Amino acid sequence: MLGYISRRILATIPVMAVVGLFVFSLLYLSPGDPAAIIAGDQATPADIERIRASLGLDRPFLVRFGEWGWRILHGDLGLSIFTNLPVTTMIGQRVEPTVSLMCVTLVFAIVVAVPLGVLAAWKAGSLIDRMVMGLAVAGFSVPVFVVGYILAYVFALQLNWLPVQGYTPLSQGLWPWLSNLILPSVTLGLVYIALIARVTRATMLDVLSQDYVRTARAKGLAQHNVLFVHALKNAAVPIVTVIGIGIALLIGGAVVTETVFAIPGLGRLTVDAILRRDYPVIQGVVLLFSFIYVLVNLAIDLFYTILDPRIRY
C-alpha cells in the first residue's frame, strides 16, 4: 500500500509540470500581440515594446518559462498588470468565498444525490425512479446561469427569504455566512447532484443484484441496512470517483455562479482578469484551480486504499 501511495504522489509531479507549461503558454497562445492588446489603441510603439519587455515576450520562451517556474516554486505568481499587486495577495483576498461556496455545494450535493440515487435503484422502473432520473436530466440540461436567475428572482426578489447577491465572511456569524451561500450552492449543485445521482443509481443496480445482497435480505435484515450498510458500501468506489471528477464541474461552475450572484471570489476574479487581459492573474488562478483538481484526484486515489482492500502494493 505504501508503494501505491508513493507512486501516486510522484505521478502528480509531471502532471503539474505539464499543467504549468500549458498555463504559462496562455500568454503566447492568445490571439494577437498581448502587449499591443494590453497597451490599447492609443499606445505608441515604445509603449508596446516596454510592455513586451515587462512581460518577458522579448526573451526566449524556455528561458522565460524556467524563470516563471522557479518563482512559482517559491510562491511568487507575479504582479497584476493593472493593479500592480502581487497575484498571491489578490488570490488570498478572494479565496474564502470560493472555498466556502465549493464546500457548501459539495456537502449539499452529496447529501441530496446519494440518497436519491439509492432510492431510484431500490424503486427501479417505478414512478419514483422515473421522477429522479427526470430531475437528473433537467439538472444536466438547464444552464447554471438560468437556474441562478430563476432562484434569485423567486427566493430573493419575490419572497425576500434570502440575499440576492454578495458574500458575508464566516467570522461575522454562521447564518449570515450560510444565507448568502444557499442560493449559489443550490444553483451550482444541481448539475453535480444529477451526475452523482445517476452514477449512484447505476452502481447500486449492479450491486443489488449480487448474491450477498439477496442473502442479507433472506436473513431478515431491515431494508435500510441492506441498502446503506451492505450495498452502498460496496458501490462506494465508482461514487467516490465521480465525486472527485465532478470537482471540475464545481470549479467551472463557480465562475458563472459567482458572476450571477456577485460573489467576490476567485471565479469573479477570473472573469475580471480575462476582460482586462490581466495575464499574470489569469495564469495564477488557472494554476491554482488545476492544483486543487490534481490534489482532489490524488486524495480520491489514496482513498481507494481504504475502500478497496485489494490495493496493497
Side-chain angles (χ1 to χ4, degrees):
M1 182 169 61
L2 291 178
Y4 172 80
I5 294 175
S6 301
R7 289 194 300 271
R8 296 306 302 164
I9 293 176
L10 292 175
T12 62
I13 298 176
V15 171
M16 287 305 303
V18 173
V19 170
L21 178 62
F22 172 76
V23 170
F24 181 76
S25 301
L26 290 175
L27 184 62
Y28 297 85
L29 296 175
S30 58
D33 185 355
I37 295 173
I38 293 172
D41 297 334
Q42 306 299 322
T44 64
D47 294 332
I48 296 176
E49 288 301 319
R50 185 169 59 253
I51 294 176
R52 287 181 61 85
S54 65
L55 294 175
L57 296 175
D58 57 341
R59 288 183 290 168
F61 175 84
L62 292 179
V63 173
R64 180 66 177 166
F65 176 67
E67 294 175 350
W68 180 79
W70 181 254
R71 293 200 307 269
I72 293 299
L73 292 176
H74 289 79
D76 182 9
L77 297 176
L79 297 176
S80 168
I81 295 174
F82 289 90
T83 65
N84 205 35
L85 292 173
V87 176
T88 52
T89 300
M90 299 178 66
I91 290 176
Q93 294 172 346
R94 302 290 192 99
V95 71
E96 182 187 346
T98 300
V99 171
S100 299
L101 174 61
M102 293 180 63
C103 289
V104 173
T105 302
L106 184 64
V107 173
F108 166 71
I110 293 174
V111 169
V112 173
V114 173
L116 282 180
V118 173
L119 178 63
W122 178 36
K123 300 291 186 179
S126 67
L127 177 61
I128 294 177
D129 181 24
R130 290 193 291 270
M131 290 177 59
V132 172
M133 290 301 99
L135 292 174
V137 172
F140 275 121
S141 304
V142 182
V144 171
F145 68 90
V146 173
V147 176
Y149 285 131
I150 292 175
L151 292 179
Y153 177 77
V154 173
F155 293 99
L157 298 180
Q158 295 297 315
L159 299 178
N160 199 28
W161 288 356
L162 296 167
V164 68
Q165 62 181 8
Y167 173 77
T168 302
L170 182 58
S171 58
Q172 297 185 17
L174 179 61
W175 174 244
W177 170 78
L178 186 60
S179 63
N180 279 107
L181 293 174
I182 292 177
L183 292 181
S185 298
V186 174
T187 300
L188 183 56
L190 287 182
V191 177
Y192 206 30
I193 289 173
L195 177 64
I196 298 175
R198 289 175 67 92
V199 172
T200 302
R201 176 185 180 276
T203 308
M204 286 292 293
L205 282 176
D206 181 64
V207 171
L208 289 175
S209 64
Q210 300 298 317
D211 292 338
Y212 66 86
V213 174
R214 288 194 291 268
T215 302
R217 285 172 172 166
K219 290 181 178 179
L221 294 180
Q223 188 66 44
H224 67 273
N225 285 333
V226 174
L227 291 174
F228 291 97
V229 177
H230 294 274
L232 184 59
K233 179 181 178 181
N234 289 279
V237 171
I239 298 172
V240 171
T241 301
V242 79
I243 289 174
I245 295 174
I247 295 296
L249 294 176
L250 295 184
I251 294 175
V255 176
V256 179
T257 306
E258 289 182 1
T259 303
V260 171
F261 290 96
I263 298 176
L266 294 177
R268 186 70 179 272
L269 177 64
T270 304
V271 173
D272 293 341
I274 292 174
L275 294 176
R276 296 184 300 185
R277 299 296 180 97
D278 198 342
Y279 290 100
V281 176
I282 298 172
Q283 290 173 332
V285 175
V286 172
L287 188 65
L288 176 63
F289 280 153
S290 302
F291 182 65
I292 292 174
Y293 186 65
V294 170
L295 282 184
V296 169
N297 281 274
L298 174 62
I300 296 299
D301 287 342
L302 299 183
F303 194 54
Y304 285 162
T305 60
I306 300 174
L307 294 178
D308 193 343
R310 295 172 294 180
I311 301 177
R312 287 292 181 268
Y313 53 87

